[in-house]
Amino acid sequence: MVHIIFYEKPGCINNTKQKTLLVEAGHQVEARNLLTTPWTAEGLRPFFGSLPVSEWFNLSAPAIKSGDVIIDELDEITALELMLADPLLIRRPLMQVGDIFSVGFNPEKIDAWLGLTPIAKTITNLETCPRSHTEKTCQSSQ
Protein backbone atom coordinates (compact mmCIF):
# COMPACT_ATOMS: atom_id res chain seq x y z
CA MET A 1 0.00 0.00 0.00
CA VAL A 2 1.18 3.47 -0.91
CA HIS A 3 0.02 6.84 0.47
CA ILE A 4 -0.82 9.07 -2.50
CA ILE A 5 -1.48 12.80 -2.31
CA PHE A 6 -3.95 13.22 -5.17
CA TYR A 7 -4.71 16.72 -6.44
CA GLU A 8 -8.05 16.75 -8.21
CA LYS A 9 -10.84 18.96 -9.41
CA PRO A 10 -13.69 18.05 -7.04
CA GLY A 11 -16.62 16.63 -8.97
CA CYS A 12 -14.48 15.57 -11.94
CA ILE A 13 -15.82 12.25 -13.21
CA ASN A 14 -12.41 10.99 -14.32
CA ASN A 15 -10.66 11.99 -11.09
CA THR A 16 -13.30 9.97 -9.20
CA LYS A 17 -12.64 6.93 -11.42
CA GLN A 18 -8.89 7.34 -11.00
CA LYS A 19 -9.14 7.49 -7.20
CA THR A 20 -11.38 4.41 -7.22
CA LEU A 21 -8.79 2.44 -9.21
CA LEU A 22 -6.06 3.45 -6.77
CA VAL A 23 -8.13 2.56 -3.69
CA GLU A 24 -9.20 -0.77 -5.22
CA ALA A 25 -5.51 -1.53 -5.74
CA GLY A 26 -5.01 -1.09 -1.99
CA HIS A 27 -3.54 2.40 -1.92
CA GLN A 28 -4.42 5.19 0.51
CA VAL A 29 -5.55 8.27 -1.41
CA GLU A 30 -5.47 11.70 0.21
CA ALA A 31 -7.54 13.87 -2.12
CA ARG A 32 -6.80 17.59 -2.25
CA ASN A 33 -8.48 20.33 -4.25
CA LEU A 34 -6.15 21.29 -7.10
CA LEU A 35 -8.12 24.50 -7.71
CA THR A 36 -7.83 25.92 -4.19
CA THR A 37 -4.31 24.77 -3.31
CA PRO A 38 -2.07 27.85 -2.92
CA TRP A 39 0.36 26.87 -5.69
CA THR A 40 3.70 28.49 -6.37
CA ALA A 41 5.81 27.90 -9.46
CA GLU A 42 8.35 26.06 -7.29
CA GLY A 43 5.65 23.83 -5.80
CA LEU A 44 3.94 23.04 -9.09
CA ARG A 45 6.95 22.51 -11.35
CA PRO A 46 8.13 19.13 -9.93
CA PHE A 47 4.91 17.41 -11.02
CA PHE A 48 5.83 17.87 -14.70
CA GLY A 49 9.32 16.37 -14.54
CA SER A 50 10.90 16.16 -17.98
CA LEU A 51 7.62 16.31 -19.91
CA PRO A 52 7.38 18.90 -22.68
CA VAL A 53 5.42 22.00 -21.66
CA SER A 54 2.56 21.07 -23.99
CA GLU A 55 1.93 17.94 -21.87
CA TRP A 56 1.48 19.95 -18.67
CA PHE A 57 -1.93 21.22 -19.69
CA ASN A 58 -5.52 20.08 -19.27
CA LEU A 59 -6.66 20.03 -22.89
CA SER A 60 -10.29 20.29 -21.71
CA ALA A 61 -9.68 23.67 -20.03
CA PRO A 62 -11.96 26.38 -21.41
CA ALA A 63 -9.04 28.74 -22.16
CA ILE A 64 -7.37 26.08 -24.30
CA LYS A 65 -10.54 24.96 -26.07
CA SER A 66 -11.40 28.59 -26.92
CA GLY A 67 -7.92 29.25 -28.31
CA ASP A 68 -7.10 31.89 -25.69
CA VAL A 69 -4.12 29.77 -24.60
CA ILE A 70 -2.02 28.13 -27.30
CA ILE A 71 0.13 25.64 -25.47
CA ASP A 72 2.58 24.93 -28.29
CA GLU A 73 3.79 28.54 -28.11
CA LEU A 74 4.57 28.62 -24.39
CA ASP A 75 7.85 28.44 -22.54
CA GLU A 76 8.12 26.93 -19.07
CA ILE A 77 7.94 30.22 -17.13
CA THR A 78 4.91 31.50 -19.04
CA ALA A 79 3.16 28.14 -18.72
CA LEU A 80 3.59 28.15 -14.94
CA GLU A 81 2.40 31.76 -14.69
CA LEU A 82 -0.75 30.92 -16.65
CA MET A 83 -1.42 27.86 -14.49
CA LEU A 84 -1.00 29.82 -11.28
CA ALA A 85 -3.52 32.37 -12.57
CA ASP A 86 -5.95 29.70 -13.83
CA PRO A 87 -5.56 26.27 -12.16
CA LEU A 88 -8.11 24.78 -14.58
CA LEU A 89 -5.21 24.77 -17.06
CA ILE A 90 -3.29 22.21 -14.98
CA ARG A 91 -3.48 18.66 -16.29
CA ARG A 92 -5.02 16.33 -13.74
CA PRO A 93 -4.45 14.57 -11.55
CA LEU A 94 -1.29 15.67 -9.87
CA MET A 95 0.02 12.89 -7.65
CA GLN A 96 2.75 12.81 -5.05
CA VAL A 97 4.18 9.75 -3.32
CA GLY A 98 6.96 10.80 -0.98
CA ASP A 99 9.35 12.85 -3.08
CA ILE A 100 8.11 11.48 -6.41
CA PHE A 101 5.72 13.65 -8.43
CA SER A 102 3.52 12.84 -11.41
CA VAL A 103 0.93 14.43 -13.68
CA GLY A 104 -1.85 12.73 -15.63
CA PHE A 105 -3.22 9.22 -15.33
CA ASN A 106 -1.87 6.62 -17.72
CA PRO A 107 -3.01 3.30 -16.19
CA GLU A 108 -0.01 1.35 -17.51
CA LYS A 109 2.48 3.88 -16.14
CA ILE A 110 0.64 4.10 -12.82
CA ASP A 111 0.60 0.30 -12.60
CA ALA A 112 4.37 0.17 -13.18
CA TRP A 113 4.95 2.96 -10.63
CA LEU A 114 2.48 2.12 -7.85
CA GLY A 115 0.56 -0.95 -8.88
CA LEU A 116 -2.99 -1.09 -10.17
CA THR A 117 -3.17 -4.83 -10.61
CA PRO A 118 -5.43 -6.05 -11.91
CA ILE A 119 -5.86 -3.34 -14.51
CA ALA A 120 -9.28 -3.53 -16.09
CA LYS A 121 -8.95 -4.22 -19.81
CA THR A 122 -11.85 -1.85 -20.46
CA ILE A 123 -10.25 1.27 -18.99
CA THR A 124 -10.94 4.15 -21.32
CA ASN A 125 -9.28 7.53 -21.49
CA LEU A 126 -9.26 8.77 -17.91
CA GLU A 127 -7.83 12.20 -18.63
CA THR A 128 -10.13 13.84 -21.19
CA CYS A 129 -13.31 15.25 -19.67
CA PRO A 130 -16.24 13.09 -20.79
CA ARG A 131 -18.69 15.97 -20.43
CA SER A 132 -19.49 18.44 -23.15
CA HIS A 133 -17.38 21.59 -23.09
CA THR A 134 -20.60 23.57 -22.76
CA GLU A 135 -21.57 22.11 -19.38
CA LYS A 136 -21.00 24.60 -16.62
CA THR A 137 -19.76 21.99 -14.10
CA CYS A 138 -16.61 21.23 -16.06
CA GLN A 139 -15.85 24.88 -16.69
CA SER A 140 -16.43 26.28 -13.22
CA SER A 141 -13.39 27.29 -11.23
CA GLN A 142 -14.64 25.73 -7.99
Side-chain angles (χ1 to χ4, degrees):
M1 177 183 85
V2 175
H3 177 84
I4 304 163
I5 300 173
F6 187 97
Y7 292 94
E8 67 175 338
K9 177 184 169 206
C12 173
I13 293 168
N14 282 337
N15 285 162
T16 300
K17 290 177 183 177
Q18 295 158 352
K19 289 187 299 184
T20 298
L21 285 172
L22 291 166
V23 169
E24 287 176 351
H27 302 301
Q28 179 186 22
V29 176
E30 179 184 334
R32 295 187 184 175
N33 188 330
L34 178 124
L35 303 177
T36 59
T37 296
W39 294 110
T40 63
E42 296 78 19
L44 187 58
R45 178 63 184 90
F47 288 95
F48 308 121
S50 62
L51 290 174
V53 171
S54 62
E55 293 183 30
W56 298 5
F57 286 87
N58 169 17
L59 300 180
S60 297
I64 292 173
K65 287 187 136 195
S66 70
D68 291 338
V69 173
I70 302 171
I71 59 177
D72 293 328
E73 298 177 359
L74 299 175
D75 62 28
E76 184 175 307
I77 293 170
T78 305
L80 289 168
E81 288 172 352
L82 288 169
M83 290 177 178
L84 295 176
D86 182 4
L88 283 174
L89 291 169
I90 302 169
R91 182 176 168 197
R92 300 185 302 264
L94 297 179
M95 293 186 288
Q96 180 180 355
V97 175
D99 60 355
I100 300 173
F101 300 83
S102 177
V103 62
F105 199 92
N106 176 305
E108 289 78 22
K109 289 181 182 177
I110 301 298
D111 184 41
W113 175 34
L114 304 172
L116 281 180
T117 308
I119 293 181
K121 299 297 182 197
T122 58
I123 292 177
T124 58
N125 183 334
L126 291 178
E127 289 193 67
T128 305
C129 182
R131 298 182 192 202
S132 165
H133 71 281
T134 59
E135 288 189 43
K136 188 172 179 116
T137 17
C138 282
Q139 294 183 18
S140 69
S141 62
Q142 294 296 328

